[in-house]
Amino acid sequence: VVGTMVRYAAAGGGSFDMDVLLKATVSSRVQLAVGLLMIVAAATRLPLFPLHGWARDAYSEAPIGVTVIVAGSASRLGAYLLLRTLVAAEPAAAHLLAPLLAALAAVTVGYGALLALLALDLRQAAAYLALIPGGVTVLALAALQPLSIAGAVLSLFAGGLAAALIVGVCGTLSDRAQSSSLRVLSGLAPRMPILTWLMIIAGLAILGVPLLATFTANLLTFFGSF
């Protein structure tokens, strides 16, 4: 809200129409200030480290339906916010803040992967894995290249589906087994073959292996970024 009002005031206070507001010419200082505010808002929504605490708790404790909706669609709004208000509308600020975005993305992916490996709770491990697609999307936006931005747009959908699937499957498995401890849940694959295969597909989607939509998104992202 603060970023929107700053942009509104700098644009002359004539309209809140997004096309008018984002196309108005403002100084690079205003662009930088608005860009920083939008990054904080987006990092909270996606989420990115270190503003990820609410998502970790929500994914590991909320009802399954809530976690699927939040991971699959609600959290993607953070990346859309960056795409629409920073990358597309603030060229000067986008170039200045690109290294910050790339650093947040890299730390989020590394942090999520490491904590998922160390987790002993299945739903917490899924919550950390669900952070990774958001980090990849932000890395694509930080590159500011047409190829990587195309990857970011595809990652909005593919990454959201992967995150929703991993938290949904792990939540369902924990609910049916009445436990989320990995020590207790080991060896259940023969008894729950459908959930097992869904979890395998979700894990492969997080990794971005070929034949899955996340592979194309990641391919565009990394080619564009490098």
Side-chain angles (χ1 to χ4, degrees):
V1 174
V2 174
T4 302
M5 296 308 297
V6 170
R7 179 76 194 201
Y8 173 76
S15 173
F16 277 108
D17 184 274
M18 185 173 288
D19 289 331
V20 175
L21 196 62
L22 296 180
K23 289 180 181 178
T25 302
V26 297
S27 68
S28 57
R29 288 186 178 181
V30 173
Q31 288 189 33
L32 187 61
V34 173
L36 285 171
L37 291 171
M38 293 304 175
I39 287 175
V40 172
T44 304
R45 173 64 64 180
L46 266 168
L48 300 177
F49 179 86
L51 304 176
H52 66 288
W54 70 270
R56 176 197 57 209
D57 296 338
Y59 294 159
S60 59
E61 297 178 11
I64 299 170
V66 174
T67 62
V68 170
I69 292 174
V70 173
S73 59
S75 63
R76 303 300 106 184
L77 295 176
Y80 177 76
L81 177 68
L82 289 177
L83 177 63
R84 193 76 171 87
T85 63
L86 182 64
V87 175
E90 310 279 9
H95 282 86
L96 288 173
L97 296 173
L100 174 61
L101 281 178
L104 288 174
V107 171
T108 299
V109 171
Y111 174 84
L114 179 62
L115 268 292
L117 287 172
L118 297 177
L120 297 177
D121 185 284
L122 180 64
R123 294 196 66 177
Q124 284 191 5
Y128 287 120
L129 288 174
L131 301 179
I132 294 175
V136 173
T137 305
V138 172
L139 177 64
L141 294 174
L144 300 176
Q145 297 296 320
L147 191 62
S148 67
I149 292 174
V153 173
L154 181 56
S155 183
L156 282 174
F157 299 96
L161 290 174
L165 186 58
I166 192 70
V167 297
V169 170
C170 290
T172 302
L173 178 59
S174 300
D175 184 65
R176 292 187 179 182
Q178 295 298 302
S179 174
S180 59
S181 173
L182 289 173
R183 294 192 178 97
V184 175
L185 294 175
S186 61
L188 284 180
R191 303 179 186 179
M192 299 181 174
I194 296 177
L195 281 177
T196 299
W197 279 109
L198 287 174
M199 184 178 294
I200 291 172
I201 293 172
L204 294 176
I206 295 292
L207 289 172
V209 301
L211 302 181
L212 297 175
T214 49
F215 170 73
T216 306
N218 290 355
L219 195 68
L220 296 172
T221 293
F222 290 116
F223 278 173
S225 299
F226 286 120

